[in-house]
Amino acid sequence: MNGSTPTSTDESRGAGPAAGMLSNGNAHPWFSTNPQSWTPAPYPATPPYSLVPSDLNTDHNTDPHVQTAAGSAEIIPNGPNVNTVEVDPIRHDISNSSFRSPQPASPPISQPPATVESPESAALAKINAILNRCLLTTRRLVDMFFAEIHPYWAILHAPTFQVLDTPSVLIGSMVMLASWLENGAEHRELAPVLFEEVNQIRMDLHPPLHMLQAIVFYIVYATCSLTEDGMVARALNLTGLLISTCRYLGIFNGQYSCHEMGGTACDCPFVAWRIQEQLNRLAFASLRIDAYLSVLLDHPPSVRYQELCIPLPKSRALWAAASEDERRKLQWNEPAGREKALFSFFMRDALDDHRIGNLPYCLTDIDYHLSICAIQAPLWEAAREAHSSMSDELVQEADPTKPIRHTNPHLTLWRDKQKQDFDVREQYFSGALCGDKGQNSSSNLLAPLTITLMYMSTLKTYAPLNLLRVSGHYYKSRPGASMPTRRRRAHLRQWITSGCPRSALWNAAQICRVFSVESSRSSSPSAFAQSRAHLQLNPLLISGVLTSAVVACSYARHTRMCEGCTPAAHIHHGHSSSPSSPPAGTGTGTGRGTAASATTATTSMKTVDLFNIAPDDPALERWTLYDDGVPYWGGEGAGEKKIPVCKCRLTDIAAWFREAFARDEKAEMEFVLFLAELSREA
């Protein structure tokens, strides 16, 4: 083709006239016909990874040529799921990584030890310096990570995890999370340099697996620390990069497998199985992170369950297999239907309202949790449609409950199917899941997070939070998101007169009940570690309590539920009262000097115990539909008094939330700002 013009045959194949254009007589065509030249060259700024499978846990010895930091200290992981090994002080050079970028296969090339530090290794040098400063602390934090954090984010294969073979960026992210959990100082040093290192994913179209896993841990850290300066931007930035990378590589649809990584180590079935499961768990971790940030920041979710064409995660017992023989034995206990079902098809079957009977799958707690994460997209759309109906620009005012009715399959159907298999909610609140004796606690660690996500998602569909917050404050997000309307009071009255406020109030009570349960358990020395993880590794809990405070105080501020508030209370609500006694433990309170008369007056009305009434109780349905009864707040803890949710007890309700925010100063300040806005409306 040198110097020749394209033939007619070339044009008929779609090459076009430009395919044979040459810049000069010695140049080559811009599209070479030699397939060997199609292999893209690596980026100059990214050093090549060793040509072994991109697996965190491949069993091989380290390169003796890799330099390590001076010293005689040894890291000996002694956690329950970590093999005991003796290693030199940590010095994980990127050229010694057990991961490899999945570039097209090429002949192995011997890489000499790096003697010149590349520009991007400056962050790695800082990470190594922090990790090697106190090797005993690093060892302890790695063990703590596997003991307390790994059960919630099990994207690593703990039985074959080797610290010596793990790149420092992944070790640093694990140490950072563990240090944050125990309120140490290491995470503040590691956070900025780790962000600098993981942010290099922008420059690599084929990042190694350990880098993607480190990004997941960093996003978890950022999501749990959104009140810190810059964490919102970091979480959103890295989440977008993680999701787009998983889509590009085909991790979401199962097209990217360990067999594409090349090398001889993938010939081992156990290694291949281990890598593939890590990729699948990475995809589900991306789904969870995306759902959490959507709920916290009111952003539309990016991941759809239809694109997750991968099997459900392996059970905890099977994922703990340490060898091929053990895996084969445990594999017989895995249900065949669960092993073959793809997540996208599983969700389609779960949301089918015409299905009769239970789902033909053996489901675990993580399966239920992932399903609630998967339905966040339609719930967010329904919430936006319901709240946008309060805009001034609409020609005809719409019913805010209409978009919510379209999401009933997502709100109720899956919850009912979950109850048929195992009523997690009832077992959790009864103490059977997280008791001090630990019955069933290991298999239901995500129960508090699942319940919080379920009720917080429902709460946001029923409550126009932008309308309730005058200044548009958003906890852990930027302010200025208030509803663009000049008829705020009119729209608020429209919402109050519908059944949405009562449904929102009951969902808010369930979130606060989870908080009360976890707070009371944190005082028990035997369950301190588990309760600490439940509280701190649940990024939705404090935000959910703050959202519940907005709903509960707004409901009480605009509602007169007892005769003590005004003589026209019964005329306002338009229902007949029936004799009934208030729940046990009702207090007199100190709200506005009328609490005693209010409590006496409510004895002639039906009572609705928001914290303890069952979701299928007919009394709850009558109250949400017809406002038949007086709702009572609190009473979950021992000796805690129940408070009627009415205007005369607003001070007591606010005091309940102020006590709940005693451990979080920023949440308390946000609540104080909301109360100031609420008082100016009087």
Side-chain angles (χ1 to χ4, degrees):
M1 290 180 61
N2 293 339
S4 63
T5 59
T7 62
S8 59
T9 304
D10 296 333
E11 294 179 355
S12 63
R13 293 178 181 175
M21 293 179 64
L22 301 176
S23 59
N24 53 61
N26 298 326
H28 296 284
W30 70 274
F31 180 79
S32 175
T33 58
N34 184 9
Q36 296 181 355
S37 64
W38 297 351
T39 302
Y43 288 96
T46 304
Y49 295 94
S50 61
L51 300 176
V52 296
S54 181
D55 175 24
L56 176 61
N57 306 310
T58 50
D59 300 326
H60 65 279
N61 296 327
T62 55
D63 189 349
H65 298 289
V66 178
Q67 296 180 354
T68 57
S72 58
E74 298 176 345
I75 294 183
I76 306 177
N78 55 4
N81 294 326
V82 184
N83 293 340
T84 301
V85 295
E86 295 185 1
V87 300
D88 292 331
I90 298 178
R91 172 74 176 179
H92 302 290
D93 193 276
I94 195 168
S95 62
N96 190 39
S97 169
S98 61
F99 298 85
R100 140 180 123 75
S101 177
Q103 301 285 351
S106 58
I109 300 176
S110 177
Q111 296 290 342
T115 57
V116 180
E117 205 174 50
S118 56
E120 69 276 10
S121 63
L124 283 175
K126 296 179 182 177
I127 295 173
N128 286 326
I130 297 174
L131 296 178
N132 291 327
R133 183 186 307 163
C134 184
L135 296 176
L136 293 177
T137 301
T138 301
R139 180 189 62 186
R140 179 181 60 82
L141 292 176
V142 170
D143 295 340
M144 178 182 173
F145 174 89
F146 279 103
E148 299 191 34
I149 301 176
H150 175 75
Y152 296 89
W153 296 92
I155 64 175
L156 304 177
H157 192 242
T160 56
F161 183 86
Q162 300 290 341
V163 177
L164 183 64
D165 299 333
T166 305
S168 57
V169 62
L170 182 55
I171 288 288
S173 63
M174 298 163 61
V175 170
M176 176 186 65
L177 262 178
S179 173
W180 165 81
L181 187 62
E182 69 170 8
N183 197 23
E186 293 81 6
H187 72 98
R188 299 190 181 277
E189 294 183 85
L190 286 169
V193 292
L194 277 172
F195 178 75
E196 181 182 350
E197 178 64 21
V198 299
N199 202 35
Q200 293 185 13
I201 190 178
R202 296 175 176 270
M203 304 299 296
D204 195 350
L205 295 178
H206 298 274
L209 178 58
H210 76 267
M211 181 65 74
L212 297 177
Q213 292 169 334
I215 290 176
V216 168
F217 292 145
Y218 196 97
I219 298 175
V220 172
Y221 169 78
T223 304
C224 296
S225 309
L226 287 179
T227 53
E228 302 295 333
D229 293 338
M231 283 300 175
V232 173
R234 291 184 182 183
L236 294 176
N237 182 15
L238 292 178
T239 302
L241 292 174
L242 176 65
I243 293 174
S244 60
T245 302
C246 289
R247 283 199 181 107
Y248 173 75
L249 295 179
I251 296 177
F252 283 164
N253 56 22
Q255 298 300 313
Y256 181 77
S257 63
C258 62
H259 300 290
E260 298 184 36
M261 300 177 186
T264 58
C266 276
D267 295 338
C268 175
F270 183 67
V271 174
W273 171 83
R274 192 175 59 198
I275 299 174
Q276 191 61 57
E277 180 63 14
Q278 287 185 90
L279 292 171
N280 294 345
R281 288 174 175 262
L282 178 71
F284 287 122
S286 303
L287 172 68
R288 290 176 57 186
I289 291 170
D290 183 53
Y292 299 163
L293 291 176
S294 173
V295 173
L296 289 171
L297 305 179
D298 197 28
H299 293 173
S302 300
V303 182
R304 300 296 189 268
Y305 71 82
Q306 291 86 348
E307 61 181 321
L308 295 177
C309 300
I310 53 179
L312 293 167
K314 301 296 186 290
S315 64
R316 283 188 173 90
L318 182 59
W319 188 230
S323 63
E324 176 64 14
D325 293 338
E326 185 178 356
R327 182 190 71 85
R328 290 183 178 182
K329 293 178 182 179
L330 294 172
Q331 187 69 48
W332 287 102
N333 299 328
E334 293 288 305
R338 170 187 172 83
E339 191 75 11
K340 296 180 180 179
L342 301 181
F343 184 74
S344 57
F345 299 153
F346 157 73
M347 284 301 302
R348 184 196 62 184
D349 293 342
L351 297 176
D352 184 7
D353 54 354
H354 299 293
R355 174 176 291 278
I356 301 176
N358 296 349
L359 292 169
Y361 311 112
C362 181
L363 303 178
T364 63
D365 63 329
I366 185 62
D367 301 333
Y368 292 122
H369 185 76
L370 292 175
S371 67
I372 299 177
C373 294
I375 62 176
Q376 291 306 307
L379 294 182
W380 184 88
E381 294 172 0
R384 275 302 174 101
E385 290 294 332
H387 305 335
S388 64
S389 64
M390 298 180 180
S391 176
D392 297 336
E393 288 76 16
L394 294 178
V395 177
Q396 183 179 359
E397 292 185 358
D399 183 4
T401 61
K402 184 177 180 180
I404 301 176
R405 287 195 295 267
H406 293 300
T407 60
N408 278 337
H410 300 83
L411 293 174
T412 59
L413 183 65
W414 174 249
R415 196 178 306 171
D416 294 340
K417 292 184 181 298
Q418 178 182 353
K419 186 176 180 180
Q420 292 173 1
D421 292 338
F422 184 72
D423 194 350
V424 178
R425 177 187 180 276
E426 184 65 26
Q427 294 290 330
Y428 171 74
F429 286 129
S430 64
L433 296 184
C434 303
D436 293 339
K437 296 182 181 181
Q439 297 93 340
N440 299 326
S441 59
S442 60
S443 60
N444 292 279
L445 288 174
L446 293 177
L449 183 56
T450 302
I451 297 173
T452 305
L453 177 62
M454 178 173 60
Y455 287 114
M456 193 170 179
S457 304
T458 312
L459 170 62
K460 292 172 73 69
T461 60
Y462 284 107
L465 298 177
N466 288 339
L467 191 66
L468 297 177
R469 299 179 181 183
V470 180
S471 299
H473 293 287
Y474 252 109
Y475 181 54
K476 298 179 179 177
S477 185
R478 291 174 49 189
S482 59
M483 185 67 68
T485 176
R486 289 170 292 183
R487 300 173 53 221
R488 180 179 175 275
R489 292 181 179 271
H491 293 313
L492 190 58
R493 284 194 299 268
Q494 178 188 0
W495 177 73
I496 288 291
T497 55
S498 67
C500 292
R502 292 182 291 277
S503 298
L505 184 62
W506 182 78
N507 284 278
Q510 306 313 301
I511 298 173
C512 293
R513 188 181 181 188
V514 173
F515 177 81
S516 298
V517 170
E518 296 300 328
S519 299
S520 61
R521 287 172 180 163
S522 62
S523 59
S524 174
S526 59
F528 173 74
Q530 186 182 46
S531 299
R532 176 178 64 179
H534 280 177
L535 283 172
Q536 295 185 239
L537 291 177
N538 186 349
L540 307 176
L541 192 54
I542 294 297
S543 179
V545 174
L546 181 58
T547 304
S548 303
V550 173
V551 172
C553 293
S554 299
Y555 183 91
R557 170 65 181 80
H558 298 92
T559 307
R560 300 178 183 273
M561 293 300 302
C562 60
E563 297 175 350
C565 294
T566 174
H570 295 286
I571 301 177
H572 172 72
H573 287 283
H575 61 59
S576 59
S577 60
S578 58
S580 179
S581 299
T586 301
T588 56
T590 57
R592 303 192 180 186
T594 60
S597 61
T599 305
T600 304
T602 55
T603 57
S604 62
M605 303 177 65
K606 295 179 180 180
T607 59
V608 179
D609 189 353
L610 295 174
F611 275 45
N612 297 305
I613 192 170
D616 54 355
D617 195 317
L620 178 63
E621 183 178 3
R622 289 194 302 269
W623 174 68
T624 54
L625 294 178
Y626 309 111
D627 200 6
D628 185 10
V630 178
Y632 277 78
W633 187 272
E636 180 67 25
E640 183 179 343
K641 298 180 180 179
K642 300 180 185 296
I643 309 170
V645 186
C646 59
K647 189 174 182 178
C648 66
R649 302 298 295 274
L650 179 58
T651 303
D652 294 339
I653 296 176
W656 190 95
F657 285 104
R658 289 289 297 272
E659 183 179 355
F661 296 138
R663 300 180 182 180
D664 195 320
E665 297 180 357
K666 295 185 179 180
E668 183 180 11
M669 180 59 65
E670 184 74 14
F671 181 60
V672 170
L673 293 175
F674 167 74
L675 291 178
E677 296 172 355
L678 197 64
S679 63
R680 287 195 293 267
E681 297 182 10

